[in-house]
Amino acid sequence: MPSRFDDGNSVLHSICWPDSGVGRELACSGAQLIHLHWIGRAGLSIEEVGHFPQPLVWTLHDQWAFLGAEHYVRLPPADDRRFVEGYLPGNRPEHERGPDLNRLTWQRKRRAWRRPIHIVCPSQWLAYEARASALIRSWSIHVIPHPIDCTLWSPSDRDQARQQLGLPQGVPLILFTALAGTEDPRKGADLLQAALECLSSQIEERSTAPQVVIVGAERGDSDLSIPFPVHFRGVIADNAKLRLHYAACDVLVIPSRQDNFPNTGLEAQACGLPVVGFRIGGLPDIVEDRTSGALADPFDPASLASSILWVLADPTRSSSLAYEARQRAIREWHPRHIAGRYAELYRSVLAHEEHR
């Protein structure tokens, strides 16, 4: 009996097979251009993507388009660069077992995607990775961030928000949004815990010690051991209530090991909440270091703790960070601005098709 596929990567894998039938419907829809986003397991097949007669624009939400079946490479400190060379028989990592599903999926992409696709990456990091890949490096690759509704996500009075949510007044509140984040190693909950332990050792006056708000997990769902009082808020599906949590807190921490362009960072900044995270992935696109938040050295808990403390230590600085975070969101991610950039890309793609 053949051994089961195992590449040591716990992230989602998608083979996008067989055909769904959606590709045929879209191809016959009369549309001049098709814009793809995340196609995942239940969307289009790899072959359907390659059969569209219309030009394609594809906004990537992870690395899957230029990897094998995996949606992200393995977490650091692993250095998975197989996608740069191509998935060859000779460069399969020794730890993998079973059929080479990543290579088989990558080969299907190479066979099916003969015509270049216009790629959009929300972050500079994802664009860099795409341009390094053997599969799509020759395609046109653009960086256009996600938009954020700056009317929905906007600042509110902190004291009133805390009163409505039953959160304490007069103490710093650190927010961590943890939808699957306390269990997903990509989201770095363990690094946050280590950083908060470092922070605890630096705080001399316990009466002004911060407290932690965790959205997306119940108390019984998490085995985190945090040296500060913790308010578990569970999963919040109501955007208005989530906005109140951004308003109530003093800093959002995104301790991810891997992240393309986390929407929580956009929402927080639009609400005037400074963001702290590691200098990885799309976080440098979201956080202007020491202007709208702070970036820490990857993946150093002490550096993360220092960055959190830097945001919290000075009320005047915190107010400045909050103001700049809001202005950055309006300037960089307002829907009108992002829609204009996409409209310009569509015009360019259609003009290019006319002259082929």
Side-chain angles (χ1 to χ4, degrees):
M1 186 174 188
S3 59
R4 187 175 180 180
F5 167 74
D6 181 8
D7 65 352
N9 189 343
S10 62
V11 77
L12 175 68
H13 289 60
S14 299
I15 61 172
C16 287
W17 179 89
D19 289 358
S20 66
V22 175
R24 188 179 307 109
E25 293 181 22
L26 292 174
C28 299
S29 66
Q32 292 180 282
L33 178 149
I34 303 292
H35 188 163
L36 303 177
H37 280 266
W38 197 88
I39 63 176
R41 287 173 167 173
L44 300 165
S45 73
I46 288 170
E47 287 71 22
E48 284 176 304
V49 170
H51 289 158
F52 282 117
Q54 299 99 327
L56 294 181
V57 172
W58 190 354
T59 296
L60 305 188
H61 293 255
D62 53 35
Q63 295 176 293
W64 181 82
F66 52 87
L67 300 184
E70 69 273 46
H71 282 257
Y72 281 98
V73 297
R74 283 187 304 147
L75 290 170
D79 187 22
D80 284 357
R81 308 302 289 175
R82 199 179 185 194
F83 71 92
V84 176
E85 302 173 4
Y87 286 69
L88 309 174
N91 64 10
R92 188 184 190 191
E94 293 182 0
H95 69 268
E96 293 191 11
R97 297 292 180 267
D100 193 348
L101 185 62
N102 288 326
R103 179 169 183 260
L104 293 172
T105 305
W106 185 87
Q107 287 179 315
R108 286 176 51 223
K109 293 174 183 178
R110 186 178 61 170
R111 286 194 299 266
W113 299 345
R114 296 292 185 179
R115 187 176 66 169
I117 299 171
H118 300 270
I119 297 294
V120 175
C121 297
S123 67
Q124 295 288 347
W125 165 77
L126 191 58
Y128 174 85
E129 297 288 281
R131 290 170 182 143
S133 72
L135 190 62
I136 70 172
R137 61 167 61 114
S138 63
W139 297 359
S140 62
I141 298 172
H142 311 264
V143 178
I144 303 177
H146 297 317
I148 186 72
D149 185 339
C150 295
T151 301
L152 170 63
W153 304 105
S154 58
S156 298
D157 182 80
R158 178 170 296 162
D159 291 343
Q160 290 182 13
R162 292 188 180 192
Q163 183 176 8
Q164 290 184 57
L165 295 173
L167 292 170
Q169 304 282 356
V171 298
L173 293 182
I174 298 169
L175 178 62
F176 174 53
T177 56
L179 190 60
T182 59
E183 301 167 0
D184 184 351
R186 287 183 52 242
K187 298 301 183 179
D190 58 317
L191 297 173
L192 174 63
Q193 176 179 308
L196 293 176
E197 290 170 354
C198 292
L199 185 62
S200 178
S201 67
Q202 298 176 37
I203 293 176
E204 298 178 358
E205 182 55 60
R206 303 310 294 181
S207 62
T208 59
Q211 298 185 21
V212 180
V213 178
I214 297 182
V215 169
E218 303 284 356
R219 183 173 300 277
D221 298 336
S222 173
D223 58 359
L224 291 178
S225 178
I226 292 176
F228 301 112
V230 180
H231 306 270
F232 287 94
R233 311 301 289 186
V235 175
I236 299 176
D238 181 349
N239 284 338
K241 189 173 182 181
L242 183 55
R243 174 189 167 203
L244 281 177
H245 282 79
Y246 289 132
C249 294
D250 297 273
V251 62
L252 171 69
V253 182
I254 304 178
S256 300
R257 289 179 168 88
Q258 266 179 348
D259 239 326
N260 169 28
F261 199 69
N263 279 340
T264 54
L266 302 189
E267 293 164 0
Q269 299 254 290
C271 291
L273 180 63
V275 174
V276 168
F278 294 118
R279 193 177 286 101
I280 59 98
L283 283 167
D285 294 60
I286 294 174
V287 180
E288 189 172 0
D289 190 26
R290 310 291 154 159
T291 299
S292 67
L295 296 173
D297 298 333
F299 299 95
D300 182 351
S303 178
L304 187 63
S306 295
S307 296
I308 295 170
L309 186 59
W310 183 83
V311 170
L312 298 178
D314 185 336
T316 301
R317 180 166 60 217
S318 295
S319 295
S320 175
L321 292 170
Y323 174 82
E324 292 297 336
R326 172 66 179 174
Q327 295 307 307
R328 180 171 174 77
I330 295 171
R331 183 173 65 250
E332 300 289 340
W333 311 311
H334 194 286
R336 285 195 303 270
H337 176 54
I338 303 303
R341 293 178 65 177
Y342 270 112
E344 182 180 348
L345 176 60
Y346 295 160
R347 285 191 291 268
S348 173
V349 170
L350 291 173
H352 176 76
E353 288 295 312
E354 288 179 1
H355 290 90
R356 285 184 63 183

